[in-house]
Amino acid sequence: MLMYRILLTFCLLIGCAVGSRAGVVALHTPHTSLVLSAPKGGALQWLYYGSQLTAIDLSGITALGGTVAYPVFGLGTSSAEAALAVTHSDGNYTTDLLVADAAQMVQEAHSTLARIPLRDPVYDLCVDYCVRAYTDCDVVEVWTEIWHNEPSAVTLRRYCSAVLPVRRSAVWVSHLHGSWAAEAQMTQQPLQDGVLEIRNKDGVRNGMQDRAEVMFSLDGTPEENSGRTIAAALCYSGNYQLRIVTNWSDYHRLFAGIMAEDAPYTLPSGERFVTPKLAVAYSDEGCSGASRALHAWGRQHQLAHGTALRDVLLNSWEGVYMDITEQAMETMMRDLAELGGELFVMDDGWFGRKYPRTNSQGLGDWQVDTHKLPHGIAGLTQTAARYGVKFGLWIEPEMACLRSALCEAHPEWVLRAPRREVTTGRGSTQVVLDMANPEVQDYVFSIVDTLLTTYPDIAYIKWDANMEMQDYGSGYLADTLQGHTAIAYHKGLERVWQRVRSKYPDVVLQACGSGGGRINWGVLPYFDECWVSDNTDALQRIYTQWGTSYFYPAVAMASHISASPNHQTGRVIPMKYRIDVAMSGRLGIEMQPRQMTAAERALCAEAIADYKRIRPTVQQGDLYRLISPYAHQGVALLMYVGGDKAEAVAFWWQLDTFCGQHLPRLRMAGLNPDRHYRVTELHRRAAQPLAVEGKCYSGRMLMESGIEVPAGHNGEQAWASTVLLLTAVD
Ligand code: GLA
């Protein structure tokens, strides 16, 4: 460790020294390097990104050539894709950006920040190209800051955060797409000539369909545990655009940034436009390796309370939907406590006085419905305390129903295109509030502030958003600035989240957007976790959670045991399998415990106790994805390995059942080859223990040869699943 630190310091010094001598800026993470050429008066070039370079590598790096790091529109190559396109104050459509000075290097607590000043030699337009390299995880963040001192406003027509060049070869890209109840479905494809665009224009929740992350496999078909791999995640809560451009050049280039279409940005003199950061991770250990790098960065630097363990919770939605009563809440709290759970969350349906909440009214009126809850929130927090569980509740503060006291009092707070009727969503009355308006921001903050001040025992808030921006326009913004609507919404929202977090740093917040609509690293600095999907069907969840795990760690993935038949798919799946899928993320329950049989209750209680035992490894360990459900091998398999490799947990889920099926062996990864591990099956359902139960094997054997997992339990082959705990014995 000491040697490593000395080496790292040496490398950093070399990087800076080379930077000052030859305009080369080299940034290093523990295992990777990013190198730029920034000669004063010249163009900024991207030279290298990959495994960490030595000082000797660096001394010859410019000989290998590079490519423009942040291409701008209009001069010399106006046909080329641009990261930045500006209409200057006099109408000129072209921009030139040259390095104005040496990079400014700032040493931060866990990172080094390089700020490279770029200036247009003719117009007073400035761009700072910023790169942050972490010293405790293999992630770099890249973004730009744009401002000017021209006589009047300029218009930004394109304003990418970064361009990531990947040398042309047999490169494949993995990315996620989907829809409500089918989020994070994975597509893997070779990159070919042309443009692959991944985008979102929802306006409110950018994770519902295509996701703002990609993973490049540089050595052909994506492999989970081998091959050079780069993951890139745009950290932004609003509309985005990722374009992978493959054309006449030697590179595939990822242009990543806020969606500029329908959003020209008028930038007044002196205002700084800061683009969201693009987080980039490199690994030579395949897709799982790149995921592990992003997960480590996420837990340590991006996710609220990322290194804290999460409670086992029961959320009331699928148990009672909006039929909330004091009795029903108390029964669920008691059942949760008996099962060993730790936190009860009351979902939608608890509020509205003049218009008691239904699907089509009451949203926006965050006063308790005292017909349903005569003793209010205080009564519920007291009940929760009596059962020894924490209490949380659901809100959807960016939204309202037109039938609400709020909209009657403040019709001007509804987001709508000026001089037009508003289009409504859920229940034909739901609308989005205009987060561009500072009064609305204050109001949204006050919802959380009032709840948390009045009821300090609220430990958790589920923050939902169930509607897209159906009409583009804001009554608050000037007519000439309507193109700012989407960006201003998210600036306003982020301001509120910042206020909430600075006043209530400890409350646990879940980001929900009709399911997984709010899964983005730009949201998570303010939130502890995301609701992965409204689809709680265990089989479909394997696919959804698999995709989500490409970019997000288990600690942030809310994953709940639900009813059978499942409420979304109608599929009947045994409790054991439902539990085993939910346990691979942040475990919770999304059903009425009263509907469990006695045997199911007992199994559930046993599994919750097991989960508490393995929680540090699942929530904070390193993920190794082993057999993908998308690979159609009849089984999906992943494991988590604790930081010191003393403990690991393997999740094995059989996906289909055919006679004469040959299932693969359970071959592991990430263990210490030279240690021995005892195998223990958790909450076993089969009458007979596994043949390997209690036996010890070396990490090497478990990884190279593996163990057999029999198909099915007790002669039943359908819906077999196994959770194995591996404990180092020497
Ligand atoms: C959304 C959420 C659900 C639930 C409902 C309540 O659909 O994703 O979990 O909270 O809203 O209306």
Side-chain angles (χ1 to χ4, degrees):
M1 193 62 196
L2 182 65
M3 271 312 291
Y4 166 70
R5 283 194 185 287
I6 293 169
L7 188 67
L8 180 68
T9 314
F10 175 68
C11 287
L12 287 168
L13 286 173
I14 291 291
C16 300
V18 173
S20 58
R21 242 193 357 255
V24 171
V25 179
L27 290 134
H28 307 276
T29 69
H31 305 100
T32 70
S33 298
L34 168 60
V35 188
L36 298 153
S37 162
K40 196 166 169 183
L44 180 68
Q45 296 255 321
W46 181 285
L47 298 183
Y48 174 88
Y49 179 57
S51 286
Q52 199 182 83
L53 299 181
T54 64
I56 292 175
D57 291 331
L58 276 172
S59 65
I61 196 74
T62 49
L64 297 171
T67 181
V68 179
Y70 196 66
V72 290
F73 178 81
L75 293 173
T77 52
S78 61
S79 63
E81 287 293 321
L84 178 72
V86 180
T87 308
H88 294 275
S89 53
D90 62 1
N92 192 312
Y93 243 52
T94 65
T95 296
D96 193 8
L97 282 183
L98 301 176
V99 176
D101 216 332
Q104 194 193 333
M105 307 294 279
V106 183
Q107 203 56 53
E108 302 171 321
H110 301 285
S111 49
T112 307
L113 168 66
R115 188 175 277 275
I116 304 169
L118 308 176
R119 304 290 178 260
D120 188 312
V122 173
Y123 286 88
D124 200 348
L125 176 83
C126 316
V127 173
D128 273 2
Y129 184 92
C130 305
V131 185
R132 172 175 288 122
Y134 284 88
T135 49
D136 57 359
C137 59
D138 287 310
V139 166
V140 295
E141 299 166 354
V142 189
W143 73 95
T144 52
E145 301 184 6
I146 306 160
W147 75 99
H148 71 92
N149 298 303
E150 296 191 23
S152 56
V154 307
T155 305
L156 306 181
R157 308 192 310 273
R158 247 183 210 298
Y159 32 83
C160 287
S161 297
V163 178
L164 173 67
V166 176
R167 185 63 168 75
R168 229 184 216 255
S169 63
V171 178
W172 280 58
V173 62
S174 306
H175 56 103
L176 305 174
H177 61 94
S179 56
W180 178 80
E183 295 91 334
Q185 304 302 298
M186 197 160 59
T187 292
Q188 298 187 307
Q189 62 193 94
L191 281 180
Q192 289 169 340
D193 287 82
V195 179
L196 170 63
E197 181 163 320
I198 298 164
R199 50 158 40 188
N200 176 278
K201 293 184 85 173
D202 178 287
V204 175
R205 312 146 307 173
N206 70 10
M208 184 62 83
Q209 287 106 18
D210 296 342
R211 288 278 170 82
E213 301 97 15
V214 288
M215 200 174 281
F216 296 109
S217 298
L218 310 190
D219 300 314
T221 331
E223 296 291 338
E224 283 295 357
N225 292 296
S226 63
R228 298 171 305 145
T229 309
I230 299 175
L234 185 73
C235 307
Y236 184 58
S237 58
N239 294 349
Y240 68 82
Q241 190 176 33
L242 307 181
R243 282 171 303 140
I244 305 168
V245 180
T246 306
N247 51 23
W248 40 265
S249 87
D250 279 336
Y251 292 89
H252 309 283
R253 281 171 226 262
L254 168 68
F255 289 74
I258 297 178
M259 166 61 81
E261 194 178 288
D262 303 322
Y265 197 88
T266 307
L267 186 67
S269 173
E271 180 182 318
R272 194 175 274 250
F273 186 91
V274 179
T275 63
K277 60 194 185 187
L278 182 73
V280 187
Y282 172 85
S283 169
D284 58 7
E285 294 181 2
C287 297
S288 278
S291 297
R292 286 193 292 281
L294 264 191
H295 294 177
W297 161 81
R299 286 192 301 259
Q300 286 158 43
H301 303 292
Q302 193 71 5
L303 173 67
H305 311 124
T307 55
L309 298 182
R310 308 297 197 248
D311 289 325
V312 176
L313 64 81
L314 166 61
N315 185 57
S316 69
W317 182 241
E318 289 195 18
V320 296
Y321 292 100
M322 289 190 198
D323 296 335
I324 282 176
T325 63
E326 237 164 44
Q327 187 52 53
M329 297 301 97
E330 174 164 357
T331 308
M332 285 180 124
M333 289 186 217
R334 188 174 58 229
D335 287 339
L336 173 69
E338 280 173 19
L339 290 168
E342 298 156 317
L343 165 69
F344 174 73
V345 182
M346 176 172 67
D347 208 288
D348 195 355
W350 58 268
F351 50 86
R353 291 221 174 121
K354 180 170 180 191
Y355 298 106
R357 170 65 165 156
T358 65
N359 219 14
S360 54
Q361 67 175 38
L363 200 61
D365 298 348
W366 300 102
Q367 298 81 30
V368 173
D369 177 348
T370 41
H371 293 290
K372 287 180 173 175
L373 301 168
H375 298 94
I377 304 287
L380 294 172
T381 57
Q382 280 158 19
T383 310
R386 222 172 45 246
Y387 290 109
V389 295
K390 298 178 198 164
F391 180 80
L393 87 183
W394 178 97
I395 54 174
E396 193 182 1
E398 298 152 70
M399 312 278 164
C401 287
L402 286 178
R403 279 172 64 79
S404 67
L406 178 77
C407 285
E408 285 175 356
H410 289 289
E412 77 285 7
W413 284 1
V414 172
L415 185 80
R416 71 172 87 198
R419 295 172 288 284
R420 294 195 185 276
E421 284 304 310
V422 67
T423 309
T424 51
R426 189 179 186 181
S428 304
T429 63
Q430 182 158 338
V431 289
V432 182
L433 299 179
D434 188 351
M435 294 302 297
N437 184 341
E439 282 182 26
V440 177
Q441 294 164 23
D442 286 344
Y443 161 73
V444 171
F445 173 72
S446 77
I447 297 166
V448 181
D449 194 29
T450 307
L451 281 169
L452 292 180
T453 315
T454 319
Y455 311 108
D457 289 337
I458 294 176
Y460 176 106
I461 286 180
K462 173 174 175 177
W463 181 308
D464 209 343
N466 283 314
M467 194 174 152
E468 69 268 42
M469 195 178 276
Q470 293 197 330
D471 302 331
Y472 195 88
S474 154
Y476 172 76
L477 295 172
D479 282 346
T480 50
L481 296 180
Q482 291 297 304
H484 289 203
T485 300
I487 291 179
Y489 184 95
H490 286 274
K491 264 194 192 160
L493 186 58
E494 195 161 7
R495 244 174 247 143
V496 174
W497 288 341
Q498 279 161 356
R499 283 172 75 184
V500 169
R501 268 304 172 206
S502 69
K503 188 157 179 195
Y504 302 101
D506 297 331
V507 68
V508 177
L509 296 178
Q510 182 189 79
C512 177
S514 307
R518 275 262 161 94
I519 301 189
N520 185 286
W521 278 118
V523 173
L524 287 172
Y526 310 104
F527 289 82
D528 300 65
E529 61 175 32
C530 307
W531 182 224
V532 173
S533 175
D534 273 355
N535 187 338
T536 55
D537 173 282
L539 180 63
Q540 202 167 342
R541 271 288 184 130
I542 292 175
Y543 292 83
T544 304
Q545 293 176 188
W546 192 271
T548 307
S549 82
Y550 261 57
F551 305 101
Y552 295 89
V555 69
M557 286 169 45
S559 174
H560 296 181
I561 303 163
S562 61
S564 181
N566 178 266
H567 290 192
Q568 290 77 41
T569 61
R571 207 182 330 255
V572 175
I573 299 183
M575 179 59 96
K576 162 89 167 111
Y577 197 92
R578 284 179 272 147
I579 287 173
D580 287 355
V581 173
M583 273 178 93
S584 66
R586 196 281 284 130
L587 176 66
I589 302 173
E590 187 80 26
M591 66 178 292
Q592 177 56 267
R594 293 277 118 183
Q595 284 168 2
M596 294 180 189
T597 63
E600 287 175 337
R601 268 176 98 91
L603 183 62
C604 208
E606 187 186 344
I608 288 174
D610 282 345
Y611 185 77
K612 289 179 180 168
R613 158 84 181 78
I614 60 172
R615 172 160 50 188
T617 301
V618 172
Q619 294 188 1
Q620 298 294 325
D622 283 332
L623 170 67
Y624 290 81
R625 285 183 301 263
L626 297 166
I627 302 176
S628 166
Y630 292 90
H632 306 296
Q633 292 191 45
V635 68
L637 170 63
L638 58 78
M639 61 191 288
Y640 296 100
V641 180
D644 53 3
K645 297 188 187 290
E647 179 175 293
V649 183
F651 290 90
W652 163 280
W653 307 292
Q654 212 173 302
L655 300 173
D656 48 34
T657 312
F658 297 108
C659 284
Q661 198 173 14
H662 300 289
L663 294 180
R665 269 193 157 202
L666 196 169
R667 274 183 61 208
M668 303 185 186
L671 302 174
N672 181 337
D674 300 322
R675 294 187 83 175
H676 288 85
Y677 295 86
R678 173 167 292 115
V679 180
T680 312
E681 184 181 1
L682 299 180
H683 49 275
R684 167 164 62 85
R685 187 165 69 93
Q688 293 304 316
L690 291 175
V692 292
E693 177 72 31
K695 307 267 184 313
C696 296
Y697 304 96
S698 65
R700 180 169 287 104
M701 207 221 92
L702 290 169
M703 293 191 287
E704 287 180 9
S705 175
I707 57 175
E708 296 290 350
V709 178
H713 314 284
N714 303 333
E716 285 169 34
Q717 292 202 10
W719 302 116
S721 59
T722 305
V723 182
L724 296 181
L725 171 65
L726 296 128
T727 330
V729 290
D730 46 17

